[in-house]
Amino acid sequence: MIRRMLSGVIYVQTTLIGMVAFLYPFWLPAVSQRTAAGAGAAHADDAPLMLTLLVGLCFAVLLLEVQGQMINTKTVALLGILVAINAALRFVSVAMPGPGGFSPIFFLIALTGYVFGARFGFLMGALTLLVSALITGGVGPWLPYQMFTAGWMGLSMPLCRPFVRLIRAEKRWGEIIVLAAFAGLWGLLYGAMMNIWFWPFASGAPDQSWTPGMSFATTLQHYAVFYAATSRFWDLLRLAGNMVLILTFGLPTLRALRRFKQRFEFVYQPAPVGLPLDLPAPLVAPKLATRRAQ
C-alpha cells in the first residue's frame, strides 16, 4: 500500500512538473529567448534539466512498482518489448514519412494504456518518445515535452472504460469505435499541446504571437489563430491516422494484450493449513493461484 501511494505521488508530481514546464513562460515578465529563429531557442536552458528529471521519475516509478503487485517483472519486460516495437515503428515513419503529423506510435500507446491502466500507459508514452528519439536522432529541447504529452495520452486512455461500459460495448466493435474516437481526439491534442512548448518564444504576425502582459482571453484568441494557420491540417492527418489504425488493427491487438495481461497478472495464495499435500492436482491447483478479476 505504501509503495502504491508513493508511486501515485510520483505520477501526480510528474504531471504537475510537466504542466509548469509548459506554462511557466506565460508568467515571465519578458521572454528573453525570443529570436528570429523562435522555436530553436525555446527552453534551450531548462530542457536538459527537465529531461533528466522526467527520466529519473520514470525509473523511480518502475523501481517502486516492480517491488509491489501493480507491475511485476514480467509486465516490465512486456513494457520494454512494446517500447522497442514502438521505437522501431517511429524509425520507419521517420525514414519513410507519412502524411502530415501521422505516426504509428500512438496506436500502441493508446491500446496499452487502455488495457494495462494509466500508470503503464504513461510509462509507455514517455519511454517510447525517449527511446525512439535516441534511435532517430530526434533529441533536442522539445524531447521532454514530447515525453510528457505522449505520457499523458497513455495516462488518460482508461477514461474510455466508463463509456464502453455505458454503451455495453466491451469486446465488441463499439469498444473499438470509442477507442478510435478518443485516440483521434488525442491526435489534435498532441499537436495543440506541443505547440505551446515554443509558441511564447516565437516571433510572428501580431495576431498570432504572444507578448508578456497579454490577457488570458487574448492569449487564447491569438493561439487559436496561430494553430489554425500552422497546425490544423497537420494534426487532422494525425487524427485520421490514429483512427484508421485502431479501426483496422484494434480488435486483434486488444485480444493479444489482454492475453498477456491475464497471464502476467496473478497472485499466489498459500494452501490452507492442514490441507493434505497428496491431494489430486485439480483439487490443489485452484487454491494455489487465483487470477485477479478483470
Side-chain angles (χ1 to χ4, degrees), residues 1 15 41 46 55-56 66 71 89 155 177 183 189 198 205 219 249:
M1 177 62 72
T15 298
D46 56 74
V55 172
V66 78
I71 295 182
L89 288 175
L155 186 74
I177 293 173
L189 288 176
F198 71 86
T219 298
F249 303 106

Side-chain angles (χ1 to χ4, degrees), residues 99-199:
F102 167 75
S103 176
I105 65 171
F106 300 105
F107 168 73
L108 273 180
I109 294 173
L111 294 188
T112 53
Y114 176 72
V115 173
F116 287 93
R119 300 179 180 197
F120 192 100
F122 181 87
L123 292 172
M124 178 69 184
L127 295 178
T128 289
L129 269 295
L130 173 64
V131 175
S132 63
L134 296 175
I135 293 175
T136 61
V139 178
W142 54 83
L143 178 56
Y145 302 92
Q146 291 178 329
M147 292 173 63
F148 277 121
T149 309
W152 289 334
M153 178 185 182
L155 186 74
S156 67
M157 287 308 297
L159 294 176
C160 294
R161 294 173 182 173
F163 294 99
V164 172
R165 288 193 294 265
L166 182 64
I167 63 176
R168 298 181 180 180
E170 195 166 7
K171 299 183 181 179
R172 298 186 182 91
W173 271 104
E175 179 181 39
I176 296 299
I177 293 173
V178 171
L179 289 172
F182 198 70
L185 175 63
W186 262 104
L188 296 178
L189 288 176
Y190 182 86
M193 295 171 70
M194 278 304 301
N195 283 347
I196 297 175
W197 85 271
F198 71 86
W199 181 60

